[in-house]
Each structure stands twice: as C-alpha cells, then as structure tokens.
Amino acid sequence: MNKKKVLVICGTGVATSTVVMQKLKAFLRDKGIDASLDQSKVSDVLNKADQYDLIISTTTVPPSLQEKVINAVPLLTGIGKEQVFEQIEAKLTT
C-alpha cells in the first residue's frame, strides 16, 4: 500500500496545527499507520491540495476541498476527538 500523505493546516500554520500534529503523530504510531505528515497554513492549501490524500484542518477551508478535509477542532477541545480519529483512520486505511 502506498504511504498516504496528510496535510495539517491552521490559519497561520503555527499554533493549532502544531498541537494537532503532535496528537496525530501519536495516534498514527499507536495504530501502526504509516503516513507522511506535513504542516502548512490555510492560504497555501489551494496550491498543494492535490498532492495530499487527506487534509486535517482547524480552520475553514474553501468548499472545493471539503471532501478531502477533516475538521480537527475536536482534537483541540477534546470533545468528539474519538470520532475525528475514526474518520482519519478510515481515510488512511482504505
């Protein structure tokens, strides 16, 4: 199976995406899922979106990208994070 490419984005590419990256790395390691992770800001995503299998975002993204984006805000709040991790796992293991 090809290694999946994941892009984690937030408004600036620094604060919340860094928190999500740490949680995502730990989750993927625990599940044994081998994926390539990159981090960026939302303004860069239109130029790069087609290079990724999945985009995990803590901010609003353009409608054209909605189908490959998972909202990561629950990973920051802790409320609903299990469902987000299930979505991520499903996207990366199919």
Side-chain angles (χ1 to χ4, degrees):
M1 179 162 65
N2 284 344
K3 187 184 228 186
K4 300 277 185 160
K5 291 186 69 178
V6 180
L7 181 62
V8 179
I9 59 170
C10 68
T12 61
V14 181
T16 57
S17 58
T18 301
V19 174
V20 170
M21 280 287 271
Q22 298 311 313
K23 293 182 179 191
L24 186 58
K25 283 178 184 172
F27 171 77
L28 295 176
R29 186 174 52 245
D30 291 348
K31 291 289 186 176
I33 299 170
D34 188 22
S36 165
L37 300 177
D38 290 321
Q39 189 172 343
S40 189
K41 58 183 183 261
V42 70
S43 59
D44 293 339
V45 77
L46 286 173
N47 304 331
K48 304 181 181 183
D50 56 350
Q51 301 169 26
Y52 293 91
D53 298 298
L54 180 62
I55 298 169
I56 298 173
S57 177
T58 62
T59 189
T60 307
V61 296
S64 61
L65 302 174
Q66 293 286 322
E67 69 183 42
K68 70 163 49 169
V69 174
I70 291 177
N71 178 345
V73 170
L75 300 183
L76 301 172
T77 65
I79 300 164
K81 68 179 184 196
E82 290 81 14
Q83 292 91 331
V84 172
F85 281 135
E86 286 171 13
Q87 288 179 311
I88 292 168
E89 184 176 9
K91 291 269 190 190
L92 295 180
T93 56
T94 52

